[in-house]
Amino acid sequence: MKPSSLSGLPAGVGDALEAEGVAELYPPQAAAVEAGILEGESLVAAVPTASGKTLIAELAMLSAVERGGKALYIVPLRALASEKKAEFERWEDHGVTVGVSTGNYDSDGEWLATRDIIVATSEKVDSLVRNGAPWIDDLTCVVSDEVHLVDDSHRGPTLEVTLAKLRRVNPGLQTVALSATVGNADVIADWLDAELVESDWRPIDLRVGVHYGNAINFDDGSQREVRVDRGGDQTAALVADALDTEADGQGGSSLVFVNSRRNAESAARRLGEVTASRLTDDERDELRELASELRDVSDTETSTDLASAVEEGAAFHHAGLASEHRSLIEDAFRDRLVKCVCATPTLAAGVNTPARRVIVRDWRRYDGDYGGMKPLDVLEVHQMCGRAGRPGLDPYGEAVLLASSADTMDELFDRYIWAEAEPVRSKLAVEPALRTHVLATVASGFASTREGLLEFLDNTLYATQTDDAGRLESVTDRVLEYLEINGFIEREWSGNRETLTATGIGHTVSRLYLDPMSAATMIDGLREACADGGDDRSADYAFSGTGVEGDGDGIETSEGEGDDGPFGTYSLSDVDAGAETGAGAGGANGESAGEEKTEGAARELTPLGLYHLVSRTPDTYELYLKSGDRETYEELLYEREEELLGDAPSAYDDVNFEDWLASLKTARLLEDWASEVDEDRITERYGVGPGDVRGKVETAEWLLRAAETLARDVEGVDGDAVLAVREARKRVEYGVREELLDLAGVRGIGRKRARRLYEAGIESRVDLREAEKAVVLGALRGRERTAERILEHAGREDPSMEGVRADRSASAAATAGSASDEDGSGQANLGDFG
DNA sequence: CCAAACCCGAACAGTAACTGCGTTT
DNA sequence: ACTGTTCGGGTTTGG
């Protein structure tokens, strides 16, 4: 079937596809066309990765647009949203417009209603439905990418409910679901009233095998000798073998999947020995350049470790990396500059990074709930293997699992290679999932009675899969009760019908996309802070029945001395001291503006208290306590318990107390960030990567913004509290102390530059507009372009830096002894102005 | 002859990943 | 389960 022979597509699309090299549709694509996707038929396509799924979706969407409709493409990851958008934008030449919407990025100002194709994450779509985006009604085609993720216990229910809602709003909606090959694609097709196209066909051959001894044993019975030196390592031998085997004129790169971040890093370091010896001089130069870019991304150990691995031609990839790190690595790997990437599952399902050879080194991963090392799901291993083989570049792809014994080899064949992926099973019928979706369903008017709600839920995959309808009902009842008690919904009997309505707050919570439990936690905390009677706060904070309460009065004693131990030379009081002297030098009263703002409240609402509050909601992913942390944070808890909101659990209530401390740990990470503690210090102190810090900050930002809205809407929370929340939010957002908030709000000024400007006597936007340019330039390390941009953003009439000579004296004081920090990368340390 | 450097094995600790908001001050 | 790190004891090495 030739693309140009297809009817129903916008003019020129068929020819354009052929010009791209699509001479003939792949069999699954042809099957999809036969199933009627060009005429608006719904379809489930369960086919391997990289077998042309996206084109199936494109054909459906483009024909829908040609008929005057509008299409939505739902992706599981934000990174995929931008990737898909870029891909679809090639149709703009044919008059098809594309937009994206994710949590952190909306299409450039252009209102989505005017776009023909919209790409969004499932959560974003859910949120758009809740907020009543007008164009939702106009949709005629929806594509759900990686639909097998409905199986995911956290995010699956959202996808499931969202698809059900979209189909409910628009009964004629064409639904195209793209899935990996799973055990029960037919069930998904049933649920979506769709045709099913199922196939194992792949455009490039994929050979899967197990390496054991000195050879890979492939699934087709063939073998390939790959010798491992005595005491040598299988992975290294396989990576070397791939590199030494020229196919298309080059050796092949490898993607190695391992089960922990640490393993990824150490494997990359080791494999660097293999790749380094096979680099050309040009590659070495380019890699050095890439390494220096990587180092500039963030001033952390992770960053330098990554850079040094990359210099050898190997890299690691995991969620602890900053997103800039990740995309640099992904791009360089695609360009074949980086020869080998050692990754955690981030890369298995994420953006498209194929390799000639995939090595699944670890097939078990630690799982606390499971109580040890749990074998990976078949589906997950298949997804990893599916990354092997780059269409158009590699003649074939190879996926290799590693075995150290003949028994293991047999097990791997049985467990993964011959095995079919697990069936997809809905995870909807659990309280956390239903809590949020029941509220949203009621709030956005999809149901107004208990029966209506159950009827709506009957359209979900769960309902078509379960034979225990009572379970969904009983969980729903529990959830309704919870929502009523917390004031998010009202239940009223009129005659024999019970009506459900969302309260004002209920609506707000639904629109803010909060888990109702998070909202309840935040509301309680804020109310408590504002409640009359700050005096009996000790009552709230007594560690009820633990025997600890007696210490309540003497806790202050630990202040000042407690900081030294766990963190070596550094302590929070050091930061305070540093920043205060800093503020003093700047000639400002660096103290207590925060206190003034909150003095009307019944009790002081401090950033730490608020960070702790949002950190213990179910919407924040927990930071785990490591050994020794328990003592550290117990001590911190005693020192600062007056700042914390809500009732601390008893120290004998092990689980809850640990959670409380873990949230405190997260809270202090945020406080450190908002106090200008260096990124590398934070990563070191909390044992996380730069990517984790960014993630925590982002979450806190979002939740505090939501808290601010709640604080305004809810009874019993006063205006001072709103201000305190806002300030705490802005401080994490910019990562600065209070006195820098004004400066850091200017585009182009981050936490480091703000501090330097401040130390140079430029303390506000107004100062920026009026200060001597020489001083500004000096504070910005003589970077003229940067200085001009900043002045422009600050609204200065004449931002030009032409002919201005930097006044170094201004910044000299602030940067004493760090002459080497002239690279403009903005890596000032707190220590620099101590 | 003694102390510092070095080496080895045992004991121990730690363990993947993802998305969510709203325009006002 | 597995790996990387730490720690302690014993050995080697250098002055």
Side-chain angles (χ1 to χ4, degrees), chain A residues 737-802:
Chain A
R737 302 185 142 259
E738 208 254 325
E739 67 270 18
L740 298 186
L741 283 175
D742 186 43
L743 277 179
V746 176
R747 253 184 79 192
I749 302 185
R751 62 201 309 239
K752 314 250 171 73
R753 284 176 182 157
R755 179 51 73 189
R756 281 203 294 266
L757 286 164
Y758 194 92
E759 296 311 316
I762 299 165
E763 299 173 7
S764 65
R765 287 169 202 240
V766 177
D767 290 352
L768 263 182
R769 288 196 283 267
E770 289 161 4
E772 292 266 346
K773 286 184 182 173
V775 177
V776 176
L777 193 56
L780 295 171
R781 309 285 163 88
R783 314 294 285 198
E784 291 192 17
R785 284 289 303 131
T786 308
E788 282 174 5
R789 263 204 336 273
I790 285 174
L791 289 187
E792 209 178 312
H793 290 309
R796 187 155 181 153
E797 307 223 323
D798 164 32
S800 167
M801 278 288 156
E802 215 171 309

Side-chain angles (χ1 to χ4, degrees), chain A residues 92-265:
Chain A
E92 299 209 322
D93 296 343
H94 301 271
V96 178
T97 54
V98 185
V100 207
S101 183
T102 65
N104 61 350
Y105 179 67
D106 272 321
S107 264
D108 37 287
E110 208 108 31
W111 198 221
L112 290 172
T114 67
R115 313 272 92 183
D116 298 317
I117 295 178
I118 293 164
V119 184
T121 53
S122 25
E123 285 76 10
K124 187 63 184 191
V125 176
D126 186 17
S127 165
L128 287 164
V129 172
R130 295 182 186 197
N131 286 287
W135 50 268
I136 294 285
D137 298 343
D138 305 336
L139 291 173
T140 58
C141 173
V142 59
V143 178
S144 178
D145 197 2
E146 314 280 3
V147 78
H148 55 269
L149 291 174
V150 289
D151 190 78
D152 183 283
S153 58
H154 285 300
R155 302 182 55 209
T158 302
L159 179 56
E160 190 178 338
V161 169
T162 302
L163 283 176
K165 281 186 182 167
L166 291 175
R167 285 157 51 76
R168 168 79 163 250
V169 171
N170 190 343
L173 189 66
Q174 175 183 23
T175 310
V176 177
L178 310 177
S179 169
T181 38
V182 292
N184 58 344
D186 54 321
V187 174
I188 300 178
D190 264 3
W191 167 47
L192 296 173
D193 305 310
E195 295 287 308
L196 175 64
V197 168
E198 209 172 359
S199 154
D200 286 332
W201 187 91
R202 287 178 51 107
I204 20 170
D205 202 24
L206 174 65
R207 304 163 74 203
V208 185
V210 177
H211 183 268
Y212 164 61
N214 284 319
I216 310 173
N217 303 279
F218 284 107
D219 52 351
D220 59 8
S222 68
Q223 284 201 327
R224 176 184 176 87
E225 184 178 29
V226 179
R227 297 209 146 269
V228 179
D229 307 330
R230 255 163 57 90
D233 124 40
Q234 287 174 287
T235 315
L238 287 162
V239 169
D241 176 65
L243 278 173
D244 294 339
T245 309
E246 291 208 357
D248 62 326
Q250 284 198 45
S253 49
S254 302
L255 183 52
V256 182
F257 285 107
V258 298
N259 65 3
S260 73
R261 293 177 179 192
R262 204 175 53 179
N263 283 343
E265 298 188 11

Side-chain angles (χ1 to χ4, degrees), chain A residues 69-84:
Chain A
K70 189 181 184 70
L72 173 65
Y73 191 98
I74 304 176
V75 291
L77 300 174
R78 295 199 286 215
L80 281 174
S82 21
E83 192 185 67
K84 291 299 171 193

Side-chain angles (χ1 to χ4, degrees), chain A residues 130 431-440 479 482-483 486 488 506 509-510 513-523 618-619 710:
Chain A
R130 295 182 186 197
E431 272 191 57
L434 280 180
R435 212 158 49 210
T436 182
H437 291 298
V438 163
L439 176 60
V479 164
Y482 177 89
L483 294 173
N486 283 284
F488 298 135
V509 170
S510 166
Y513 210 76
L514 292 172
D515 180 330
M517 189 182 271
S518 297
T521 303
M522 295 196 289
I523 291 170
D619 278 310
L710 289 175

Side-chain angles (χ1 to χ4, degrees), chain A residues 617-636:
Chain A
T617 67
D619 278 310
T620 300
Y621 189 79
E622 269 184 17
L623 217 50
Y624 294 109
L625 293 182
K626 305 190 179 190
S627 71
D629 277 359
R630 189 173 165 118
E631 294 70 45
T632 308
Y633 293 98
E634 228 173 297
E635 199 172 314
L636 188 70

Side-chain angles (χ1 to χ4, degrees), chain A residues 443-458:
Chain A
S444 39
F446 281 90
S448 56
T449 61
R450 177 176 173 278
E451 287 66 38
L453 192 58
L454 291 169
E455 189 213 324
F456 169 75
L457 291 174
D458 206 39

Side-chain angles (χ1 to χ4, degrees), chain A residues 421-441:
Chain A
E422 295 80 4
V424 166
R425 284 209 329 272
S426 166
K427 303 288 193 292
L428 183 63
V430 294
E431 272 191 57
L434 280 180
R435 212 158 49 210
T436 182
H437 291 298
V438 163
L439 176 60
T441 303

Side-chain angles (χ1 to χ4, degrees), chain A residues 540-610:
Chain A
D540 296 337
Y541 280 92
F543 288 72
S544 28
T546 65
V548 183
E549 61 266 70
D551 294 350
D553 297 327
I555 278 161
E556 278 75 11
T557 51
S558 47
E559 178 132 66
E561 65 188 48
D563 280 334
D564 310 351
F567 302 113
T569 59
Y570 170 75
S571 74
L572 270 182
S573 39
D574 288 343
V575 184
D576 283 314
E580 266 160 34
T581 21
N589 172 14
E591 290 249 307
S592 75
E595 283 163 35
E596 280 160 31
K597 281 184 186 166
T598 55
E599 72 187 355
R603 80 194 281 187
E604 203 180 336
L605 217 38
T606 64
L608 183 80
L610 290 164

